Amino acid sequence: MNHLYREEICPQIRVSCPHKLCKLSLECSFIQNKDDEGWLSSMFAHKVDARKDAHSNLLSKKETSNLYKIQFHNVKPECMEAYNKMSDEVQKELHRDASYPCEVIGSWNNWYGEQDQAVHLWRYSGGYPALTECLRKLNRNTAYLAFRKERSKMLISRRNQLLLEFSFWNEPASRSGPNIYELRTYQLVPGTMIEWGNHWARAIKYRQENNEAVGGFFTQIGELYVVHHLWAYKDLQSREETRNAAWLKEGWDANVHYTMPLIQKMESRIMIPMEHSPLQ
């Protein structure tokens, strides 16, 4: 490249420079004229296609209006047994009352991962109106309010998230045991949920042969761009064999390759069902 050609690209440059284009870009960065700065920045502008719908509408099940809530309770170690017993009694009582449009899908204690933690997955049939109705009724339920007060003495901390289920995942359903459950949690790069869903809509077929896929969810309220995949295995050895078998199927490696860059953080919990959990 000669100097004349470089001056046609950027007339403000009147100094000799090496013949590498990257050096030219460096020299251009020192231009002070605002009009020229605007011209230069336009070279790197990206055109963004307008989104036609929220990812929650594009990825969630259309045939149902279910809303899910996942709870994480960090329990004082000495209180875990009493906590499990109280949870059993209260959940059974709520299930006996058909006027509550909610049900517990599963309740677990962590085995590997964060210790002394209980995880509960609830389903609200009817979406946000059902959630609101349940909260209103529970706030008038004196027995439940007493339970919450007693439970608070057993907890170190607690948090929850509201979730929708991916349209291409299995509908979570009761199953007999014994099983262990793995909750794999992915914190995605903001803006990549649809890309994640597109890859997993194809990849889920590689993980359904052994009936290990329980449910797939993404957050709506709480920590955003979080995905939860729930899997069931007979034991840890079965988990290892099932996961290794997926790598022998053509296409699984491509899914891992393309989804890994979308992940900021990931976590795995191995969980044991509580006695009253519908998922055993």
Side-chain angles (χ1 to χ4, degrees):
M1 181 185 295
N2 57 46
H3 291 299
L4 177 60
Y5 184 64
R6 283 199 298 274
E7 290 176 0
E8 290 175 351
I9 296 177
C10 191
Q12 284 73 18
I13 298 176
R14 293 291 187 273
V15 295
S16 61
C17 60
H19 295 293
K20 292 183 178 179
L21 188 58
C22 61
K23 292 293 185 181
L24 175 63
S25 298
L26 181 62
E27 292 170 357
C28 288
S29 67
F30 290 101
I31 297 173
Q32 298 300 315
N33 185 285
K34 291 185 178 180
D35 292 336
D36 290 326
E37 286 179 346
W39 171 84
L40 182 63
S41 64
S42 68
M43 294 177 61
F44 303 97
H46 295 281
K47 180 176 170 39
V48 178
D49 294 332
R51 285 274 296 278
K52 302 302 182 183
D53 207 346
H55 69 246
S56 59
N57 293 328
L58 296 173
L59 295 174
S60 60
K61 283 182 168 64
K62 296 295 188 299
E63 64 274 16
T64 65
S65 57
N66 292 331
L67 179 70
Y68 290 82
K69 178 176 70 176
I70 192 167
Q71 296 175 305
F72 300 96
H73 289 172
N74 292 315
V75 184
K76 296 176 182 178
E78 66 273 16
C79 296
M80 184 61 76
E81 185 177 348
Y83 170 91
N84 288 348
K85 183 178 179 181
M86 284 186 63
S87 297
D88 180 10
E89 294 171 354
V90 170
Q91 290 177 12
K92 285 179 178 177
E93 187 65 30
L94 287 177
H95 284 171
R96 278 194 288 265
D97 191 338
S99 67
Y100 285 89
C102 66
E103 58 181 324
V104 177
I105 301 301
S107 291
W108 303 269
N109 292 139
N110 276 4
W111 185 20
Y112 289 101
E114 193 166 357
Q115 296 294 281
D116 303 311
Q117 185 178 76
V119 180
H120 305 282
L121 182 64
W122 296 76
R123 177 163 56 205
Y124 296 87
S125 302
Y128 291 108
L131 173 68
T132 302
E133 181 182 355
C134 280
L135 292 177
R136 179 176 55 83
K137 288 183 176 181
L138 289 174
N139 285 331
R140 297 202 307 253
N141 186 325
T142 55
Y144 182 78
L145 294 177
F147 156 73
R148 282 180 49 180
K149 184 176 181 180
E150 188 64 25
R151 185 188 65 184
S152 66
K153 303 174 185 177
M154 304 178 181
L155 299 182
I156 298 172
S157 64
R158 60 193 178 103
R159 63 187 175 93
N160 58 24
Q161 299 167 342
L162 292 182
L163 317 170
L164 295 177
E165 56 183 328
F166 284 111
S167 60
F168 48 84
W169 265 80
N170 310 38
E171 184 78 20
S174 301
R175 65 172 67 196
S176 58
N179 294 292
I180 63 170
Y181 289 80
E182 181 175 19
L183 181 66
R184 295 181 70 88
T185 300
Y186 304 89
Q187 176 75 57
L188 302 187
V189 175
T192 62
M193 186 66 74
I194 291 179
E195 187 177 356
W196 176 275
N198 286 339
H199 288 300
W200 268 97
R202 295 186 292 270
I204 189 62
K205 63 182 180 182
Y206 301 113
R207 298 295 309 277
Q208 292 177 314
E209 290 182 1
N210 296 324
N211 197 32
E212 72 264 27
V214 178
F217 313 90
F218 58 98
T219 55
Q220 283 293 281
I221 297 179
E223 296 170 286
L224 298 179
Y225 285 98
V226 173
V227 170
H228 297 291
H229 290 176
L230 184 61
W231 309 92
Y233 306 100
K234 291 302 178 184
D235 49 39
L236 288 175
Q237 181 63 34
S238 172
R239 171 185 177 273
E240 182 179 13
E241 292 170 356
T242 301
R243 288 174 55 81
N244 287 341
W247 287 97
L248 302 178
K249 301 171 184 176
E250 185 178 355
W252 175 253
D253 56 343
N255 173 68
V256 175
H257 173 78
Y258 288 114
T259 55
M260 283 300 293
L262 311 181
I263 301 170
Q264 287 186 324
K265 180 183 176 183
M266 57 191 298
E267 181 180 4
S268 171
R269 292 175 174 85
I270 300 296
M271 309 183 301
I272 304 296
M274 297 182 188
E275 289 186 7
H276 58 279
S277 175
L279 285 169
Q280 284 295 316

